[in-house]
Amino acid sequence: MSDRSTHEQDADMIGTSAAATPVDLSAIVKAYDVRGMAGEQLTAPVARALGAAFADLLDGAGMIVAHDMRVSSPELSDAFVDGAVRRGSRVLVAGLSSTDQLYCASGLHDLAGAMFTASHNPAPDNGIKLCRPGARPISRDTGLAQIRERAEAYLAAGEIPEREGGARESVETLDDYVAMMLRLAPVPDRRPLRVVVDAANAMAGHTMPAVAQHLDAVTVVPLNFRLDGTFPSHEANPLDTSTLRELQDAVRREGADLGLAFDGDADRCVVVDETGTPVPPSAITALIAVREIARARAAGEDEPVVVANLVSSRHVGEAIAGAGGRRVRSQVGHSLIKTLMAREDAVFGGEHSAHYYFRDFFFADSGMLAALHVLAALQETEGPLSALVAEHDPYAASGEINSRVADAAAARERVRAVMAPRPGTVIDDLDGMTVEHWAPDAAAADPAGTDASAAGPAPASPERWWFSLRSSNTEPLLRLNVEAEDAATMERVRDEVLDIIRQEATMPDASAPDAAAAESTAAGSAARGTEAPGAAAPSASDGVGPSTGGAHPGASRADVPSWVRSRLRCPVCRGELVDGTGTLECEACPRSYAVEGGIPVLIADRGEAAQD
């Protein structure tokens, strides 16, 4: 009897089990990964079923499984391995690993991979990042939906039929990872550099010492290198500027040349310069793109391709073109950008969320490779990092601002109706809507000095700005990113678009009390040296520094500025708070908090559990 027949028989048995109780994993199986609260949503039985389902997707082929330092990770990863072995897979167990270390092993061994991590999420969470052999991405459309359905069937049946051939063995992957990092981004030793690295008690504390011992001219000052899945120092989310304060202080105190902050699984890296100022991820994208284009051209490529998502700074495209490359715009999402890079054979890819992808690293992302590129670029100059990145950060940016709306499509169309008739405006609909008004140089546009009062169509405004307006994949949110040639223009466009988006906030629907909720979680950075006052805290946005924004109270009537509003968290679980009717509600746990006189009352024992 063939393996395929065995699979079919197992499926029939599971689907017709009299004891089967429906199970729904949609809350934790997301578009690109698995993520949920460990012990409640993501349990050992669920992990075991997911491991079995992943083995089925691979038809029993081998895989590598690794995990981060979270308290729940060893138990969950072990259960996953059990499920995969039961379904006939030969599993290499890699143990502690960063996500890019797992990708490296997947590529070198040409095996599928499973990484247990919740990245930058709070300590109670955990998750799984899955890839096919060669670190190729898996998304809902390319396997995750099948994995979910199969796992649900196993859980409903209460059993996982055993298949022959399964086995587990340990494998060491760190040495190969270090060797690949140093080969792909060699760091010269032209001058001594001092770098402060904040590992956030997470996986960079595992990988950075192994890499740093080979960097002769670099002295690493370690912060929070002890692995601790409770994150005792701060959350491992470097896009939240509150987590950068210790690093910034240390860079200034140590007289360091730069600082590096990694997220929980070390696949993202945020950079601060010698003054402690965060460097926008788009500037790092441009910096690395120029280097990778030069390397590819030296190897004989005529016009190397770089993929950058559509929220990246306009300057990224300018830098790519200036270096002799070709930019390809991508939708937001790591599976999408990896797939597009492979299709275009792109040498490099960058996202506004500080993910950086490399062709020679199996088209996968690596925070360590990005960090080494920055160190190498700094070694090749005599000046400070602030001077090196200044040319790659010429514009003023709002960062990402999230607005909770009842109907995202309707809000987008209101914006379109206002913007489309304006002379000089171009709109495209890749991943939401991008509106661009980037006027040419005034002299070039009107060389004869035409009288503006003359009859004819209204001339285009000389202003230069653009914005992206996207819907969240998982929440009723619109995500706005605005960039302009100057801060004043950026602020005006930002405020105008927000007003249009949030028009519904003045017309609450009594039948749907959350319809009027407007959540301002402004994030990201204005251009370095050009930021406007009124800093907003970040989320997953371009840049990690000051942004702008005023108060936009929603249905909760929490009358606080957006930069304060965006930093409010549930005092019990640290989850994000969203507007309810007269309350702020936690998205991660069933608690809501009263708003009294416009002031949120965020006291743990005064949070009320939501009623079903």
Side-chain angles (χ1 to χ4, degrees), residues 161-199:
E162 191 168 0
R163 187 182 180 197
E164 292 182 356
R168 70 162 73 195
E169 62 182 279
S170 297
V171 64
E172 169 56 48
T173 63
L174 185 59
D175 290 344
D176 287 342
Y177 167 81
V178 171
M180 176 161 279
M181 295 295 104
L182 297 173
R183 178 175 63 83
L184 295 184
V187 179
D189 57 359
R190 298 177 186 175
R191 59 168 171 155
L193 292 178
R194 191 170 181 82
V195 53
V196 181
V197 178
D198 188 350

Short mmCIF file of all heavy atoms in Angstrom, two decimals, residues 161-199:
data_model
loop_
_atom_site.label_atom_id
_atom_site.label_comp_id
_atom_site.label_asym_id
_atom_site.label_seq_id
_atom_site.Cartn_x
_atom_site.Cartn_y
_atom_site.Cartn_z
N PRO A 161 -2.98 9.14 13.70
CA PRO A 161 -2.54 7.82 13.23
C PRO A 161 -1.04 7.80 12.97
O PRO A 161 -0.46 8.75 12.44
CB PRO A 161 -3.33 7.63 11.93
CG PRO A 161 -4.52 8.53 12.07
CD PRO A 161 -4.04 9.71 12.85
N GLU A 162 -0.41 6.71 13.36
CA GLU A 162 1.05 6.61 13.24
C GLU A 162 1.44 6.12 11.86
O GLU A 162 0.79 5.23 11.29
CB GLU A 162 1.59 5.68 14.31
CG GLU A 162 3.11 5.72 14.41
CD GLU A 162 3.63 5.02 15.66
OE1 GLU A 162 2.80 4.49 16.43
OE2 GLU A 162 4.86 5.02 15.86
N ARG A 163 2.51 6.70 11.35
CA ARG A 163 3.03 6.33 10.03
C ARG A 163 4.48 5.89 10.19
O ARG A 163 5.22 6.48 10.99
CB ARG A 163 2.92 7.54 9.10
CG ARG A 163 3.26 7.26 7.65
CD ARG A 163 3.16 8.56 6.86
NE ARG A 163 3.47 8.38 5.46
CZ ARG A 163 3.77 9.35 4.62
NH1 ARG A 163 3.81 10.60 5.07
NH2 ARG A 163 4.02 9.11 3.36
N GLU A 164 4.92 4.92 9.46
CA GLU A 164 6.28 4.40 9.60
C GLU A 164 7.32 5.40 9.09
O GLU A 164 7.03 6.26 8.26
CB GLU A 164 6.42 3.09 8.82
CG GLU A 164 5.61 1.94 9.40
CD GLU A 164 5.83 0.66 8.62
OE1 GLU A 164 6.56 0.70 7.60
OE2 GLU A 164 5.27 -0.37 9.01
N GLY A 165 8.53 5.26 9.61
CA GLY A 165 9.67 6.01 9.10
C GLY A 165 10.05 7.23 9.90
O GLY A 165 11.08 7.86 9.64
N GLY A 166 9.24 7.60 10.88
CA GLY A 166 9.55 8.80 11.65
C GLY A 166 10.72 8.60 12.60
O GLY A 166 10.92 7.52 13.14
N ALA A 167 11.50 9.67 12.79
CA ALA A 167 12.65 9.62 13.70
C ALA A 167 13.06 11.04 14.06
O ALA A 167 12.73 12.00 13.34
CB ALA A 167 13.81 8.87 13.07
N ARG A 168 13.78 11.16 15.16
CA ARG A 168 14.32 12.45 15.55
C ARG A 168 15.79 12.31 15.89
O ARG A 168 16.22 11.28 16.39
CB ARG A 168 13.56 13.05 16.72
CG ARG A 168 13.76 12.34 18.04
CD ARG A 168 13.35 13.22 19.22
NE ARG A 168 11.92 13.37 19.35
CZ ARG A 168 11.33 14.29 20.10
NH1 ARG A 168 12.08 15.15 20.78
NH2 ARG A 168 10.02 14.36 20.20
N GLU A 169 16.55 13.36 15.61
CA GLU A 169 17.95 13.41 16.01
C GLU A 169 18.36 14.86 16.18
O GLU A 169 17.76 15.77 15.59
CB GLU A 169 18.84 12.72 14.99
CG GLU A 169 18.82 13.34 13.59
CD GLU A 169 19.69 12.57 12.61
OE1 GLU A 169 20.92 12.81 12.63
OE2 GLU A 169 19.15 11.74 11.85
N SER A 170 19.36 15.09 16.99
CA SER A 170 19.83 16.44 17.26
C SER A 170 20.77 16.91 16.16
O SER A 170 21.47 16.11 15.52
CB SER A 170 20.55 16.50 18.61
OG SER A 170 19.67 16.16 19.66
N VAL A 171 20.81 18.23 15.96
CA VAL A 171 21.72 18.81 14.97
C VAL A 171 22.23 20.14 15.50
O VAL A 171 21.50 20.89 16.16
CB VAL A 171 21.00 18.99 13.60
CG1 VAL A 171 19.86 19.99 13.71
CG2 VAL A 171 21.98 19.43 12.53
N GLU A 172 23.48 20.44 15.24
CA GLU A 172 24.10 21.72 15.62
C GLU A 172 24.13 22.63 14.40
O GLU A 172 24.59 22.23 13.32
CB GLU A 172 25.52 21.48 16.13
CG GLU A 172 26.35 22.74 16.29
CD GLU A 172 25.72 23.76 17.21
OE1 GLU A 172 25.28 23.35 18.31
OE2 GLU A 172 25.64 24.94 16.82
N THR A 173 23.61 23.85 14.53
CA THR A 173 23.50 24.74 13.37
C THR A 173 24.23 26.07 13.54
O THR A 173 24.34 26.83 12.58
CB THR A 173 22.01 25.04 13.07
OG1 THR A 173 21.43 25.74 14.18
CG2 THR A 173 21.23 23.76 12.82
N LEU A 174 24.72 26.37 14.74
CA LEU A 174 25.27 27.71 14.99
C LEU A 174 26.54 27.97 14.21
O LEU A 174 26.75 29.05 13.66
CB LEU A 174 25.50 27.91 16.49
CG LEU A 174 25.97 29.30 16.92
CD1 LEU A 174 24.95 30.37 16.50
CD2 LEU A 174 26.19 29.35 18.44
N ASP A 175 27.44 26.99 14.14
CA ASP A 175 28.72 27.21 13.46
C ASP A 175 28.52 27.52 11.98
O ASP A 175 29.16 28.41 11.41
CB ASP A 175 29.63 26.00 13.63
CG ASP A 175 30.15 25.84 15.05
OD1 ASP A 175 30.07 26.81 15.83
OD2 ASP A 175 30.64 24.74 15.38
N ASP A 176 27.64 26.77 11.34
CA ASP A 176 27.37 27.02 9.92
C ASP A 176 26.75 28.40 9.72
O ASP A 176 27.05 29.10 8.73
CB ASP A 176 26.41 25.96 9.36
CG ASP A 176 27.08 24.61 9.18
OD1 ASP A 176 28.33 24.56 9.15
OD2 ASP A 176 26.35 23.60 9.08
N TYR A 177 25.88 28.79 10.66
CA TYR A 177 25.25 30.11 10.59
C TYR A 177 26.30 31.22 10.68
O TYR A 177 26.30 32.16 9.86
CB TYR A 177 24.24 30.23 11.72
CG TYR A 177 23.73 31.63 12.00
CD1 TYR A 177 22.71 32.19 11.23
CD2 TYR A 177 24.25 32.38 13.06
CE1 TYR A 177 22.24 33.46 11.49
CE2 TYR A 177 23.77 33.65 13.33
CZ TYR A 177 22.77 34.18 12.55
OH TYR A 177 22.31 35.44 12.82
N VAL A 178 27.21 31.11 11.64
CA VAL A 178 28.25 32.13 11.80
C VAL A 178 29.11 32.22 10.55
O VAL A 178 29.41 33.32 10.05
CB VAL A 178 29.12 31.82 13.03
CG1 VAL A 178 30.34 32.74 13.09
CG2 VAL A 178 28.30 31.96 14.31
N ALA A 179 29.48 31.08 10.01
CA ALA A 179 30.31 31.08 8.80
C ALA A 179 29.61 31.77 7.65
O ALA A 179 30.24 32.53 6.88
CB ALA A 179 30.68 29.65 8.43
N MET A 180 28.32 31.53 7.50
CA MET A 180 27.59 32.15 6.39
C MET A 180 27.46 33.66 6.60
O MET A 180 27.61 34.44 5.65
CB MET A 180 26.22 31.52 6.22
CG MET A 180 25.37 32.20 5.15
SD MET A 180 24.00 31.19 4.53
CE MET A 180 24.86 30.14 3.36
N MET A 181 27.20 34.09 7.82
CA MET A 181 27.11 35.53 8.10
C MET A 181 28.40 36.24 7.70
O MET A 181 28.38 37.28 7.03
CB MET A 181 26.82 35.77 9.59
CG MET A 181 25.48 35.27 10.09
SD MET A 181 24.05 36.11 9.38
CE MET A 181 23.50 34.85 8.21
N LEU A 182 29.51 35.68 8.12
CA LEU A 182 30.80 36.33 7.88
C LEU A 182 31.18 36.28 6.40
O LEU A 182 31.86 37.18 5.89
CB LEU A 182 31.88 35.66 8.72
CG LEU A 182 31.68 35.76 10.24
CD1 LEU A 182 32.71 34.91 10.97
CD2 LEU A 182 31.77 37.22 10.69
N ARG A 183 30.74 35.25 5.70
CA ARG A 183 31.04 35.16 4.27
C ARG A 183 30.21 36.15 3.46
O ARG A 183 30.72 36.78 2.52
CB ARG A 183 30.79 33.73 3.77
CG ARG A 183 31.03 33.56 2.27
CD ARG A 183 30.90 32.11 1.86
NE ARG A 183 29.56 31.58 2.06
CZ ARG A 183 28.55 31.75 1.20
NH1 ARG A 183 28.73 32.49 0.10
NH2 ARG A 183 27.37 31.22 1.44
N LEU A 184 28.95 36.32 3.82
CA LEU A 184 28.06 37.18 3.03
C LEU A 184 28.25 38.66 3.34
O LEU A 184 27.95 39.51 2.50
CB LEU A 184 26.60 36.79 3.28
CG LEU A 184 26.18 35.39 2.80
CD1 LEU A 184 24.69 35.19 3.04
CD2 LEU A 184 26.51 35.20 1.33
N ALA A 185 28.71 38.99 4.53
CA ALA A 185 28.90 40.40 4.90
C ALA A 185 30.20 40.56 5.68
O ALA A 185 30.17 40.83 6.89
CB ALA A 185 27.71 40.91 5.70
N PRO A 186 31.34 40.40 5.02
CA PRO A 186 32.62 40.55 5.72
C PRO A 186 32.80 41.99 6.20
O PRO A 186 32.48 42.94 5.50
CB PRO A 186 33.65 40.17 4.66
CG PRO A 186 32.96 40.39 3.34
CD PRO A 186 31.52 40.08 3.59
N VAL A 187 33.32 42.13 7.41
CA VAL A 187 33.52 43.45 8.02
C VAL A 187 35.02 43.75 8.03
O VAL A 187 35.78 43.05 8.70
CB VAL A 187 32.96 43.51 9.45
CG1 VAL A 187 33.20 44.88 10.06
CG2 VAL A 187 31.46 43.18 9.44
N PRO A 188 35.48 44.78 7.30
CA PRO A 188 36.90 45.12 7.31
C PRO A 188 37.36 45.57 8.70
O PRO A 188 36.54 45.86 9.57
CB PRO A 188 36.99 46.29 6.30
CG PRO A 188 35.71 46.26 5.53
CD PRO A 188 34.69 45.68 6.44
N ASP A 189 38.67 45.65 8.89
CA ASP A 189 39.21 46.08 10.18
C ASP A 189 40.07 47.33 10.03
O ASP A 189 41.17 47.42 10.56
CB ASP A 189 40.00 44.95 10.84
CG ASP A 189 41.15 44.44 9.96
OD1 ASP A 189 41.30 44.96 8.83
OD2 ASP A 189 41.88 43.54 10.41
N ARG A 190 39.52 48.31 9.28
CA ARG A 190 40.28 49.52 8.98
C ARG A 190 40.39 50.46 10.17
O ARG A 190 41.31 51.28 10.25
CB ARG A 190 39.65 50.25 7.80
CG ARG A 190 39.65 49.43 6.51
CD ARG A 190 38.96 50.14 5.37
NE ARG A 190 38.85 49.28 4.20
CZ ARG A 190 38.20 49.61 3.09
NH1 ARG A 190 37.59 50.80 3.01
NH2 ARG A 190 38.14 48.77 2.07
N ARG A 191 39.44 50.42 11.07
CA ARG A 191 39.49 51.26 12.25
C ARG A 191 38.70 50.59 13.37
O ARG A 191 37.80 49.79 13.11
CB ARG A 191 38.91 52.65 11.97
CG ARG A 191 37.46 52.66 11.49
CD ARG A 191 36.89 54.06 11.51
NE ARG A 191 35.59 54.17 10.86
CZ ARG A 191 34.71 55.10 11.17
NH1 ARG A 191 34.97 55.99 12.12
NH2 ARG A 191 33.56 55.17 10.53
N PRO A 192 39.04 50.87 14.61
CA PRO A 192 38.29 50.27 15.71
C PRO A 192 36.88 50.86 15.81
O PRO A 192 36.70 52.07 15.67
CB PRO A 192 39.14 50.61 16.95
CG PRO A 192 39.90 51.83 16.55
CD PRO A 192 40.15 51.71 15.08
N LEU A 193 35.92 50.01 16.03
CA LEU A 193 34.54 50.44 16.22
C LEU A 193 34.03 49.89 17.55
O LEU A 193 34.34 48.76 17.93
CB LEU A 193 33.64 49.93 15.10
CG LEU A 193 33.85 50.51 13.70
CD1 LEU A 193 32.90 49.86 12.71
CD2 LEU A 193 33.67 52.02 13.69
N ARG A 194 33.22 50.70 18.21
CA ARG A 194 32.60 50.30 19.47
C ARG A 194 31.09 50.30 19.26
O ARG A 194 30.51 51.33 18.87
CB ARG A 194 33.01 51.27 20.58
CG ARG A 194 32.65 50.82 21.99
CD ARG A 194 33.33 51.75 23.01
NE ARG A 194 33.04 51.37 24.38
CZ ARG A 194 33.69 50.41 25.04
NH1 ARG A 194 34.66 49.74 24.43
NH2 ARG A 194 33.39 50.12 26.29
N VAL A 195 30.45 49.16 19.49
CA VAL A 195 29.03 49.04 19.23
C VAL A 195 28.34 48.46 20.46
O VAL A 195 28.79 47.48 21.04
CB VAL A 195 28.75 48.16 17.98
CG1 VAL A 195 29.43 46.81 18.08
CG2 VAL A 195 27.26 47.99 17.76
N VAL A 196 27.26 49.10 20.86
CA VAL A 196 26.42 48.59 21.94
C VAL A 196 25.32 47.76 21.31
O VAL A 196 24.64 48.21 20.38
CB VAL A 196 25.82 49.72 22.79
CG1 VAL A 196 24.98 49.13 23.92
CG2 VAL A 196 26.92 50.61 23.36
N VAL A 197 25.12 46.54 21.80
CA VAL A 197 24.11 45.64 21.26
C VAL A 197 23.13 45.27 22.37
O VAL A 197 23.53 44.76 23.42
CB VAL A 197 24.74 44.36 20.68
CG1 VAL A 197 23.64 43.41 20.16
CG2 VAL A 197 25.72 44.69 19.57
N ASP A 198 21.85 45.56 22.15
CA ASP A 198 20.80 45.19 23.09
C ASP A 198 20.07 43.98 22.55
O ASP A 198 19.34 44.07 21.56
CB ASP A 198 19.83 46.35 23.31
CG ASP A 198 18.83 46.09 24.43
OD1 ASP A 198 18.76 44.95 24.91
OD2 ASP A 198 18.11 47.03 24.81
N ALA A 199 20.27 42.84 23.21
CA ALA A 199 19.63 41.61 22.77
C ALA A 199 18.26 41.41 23.39
O ALA A 199 17.55 40.46 23.04
CB ALA A 199 20.52 40.41 23.12
#
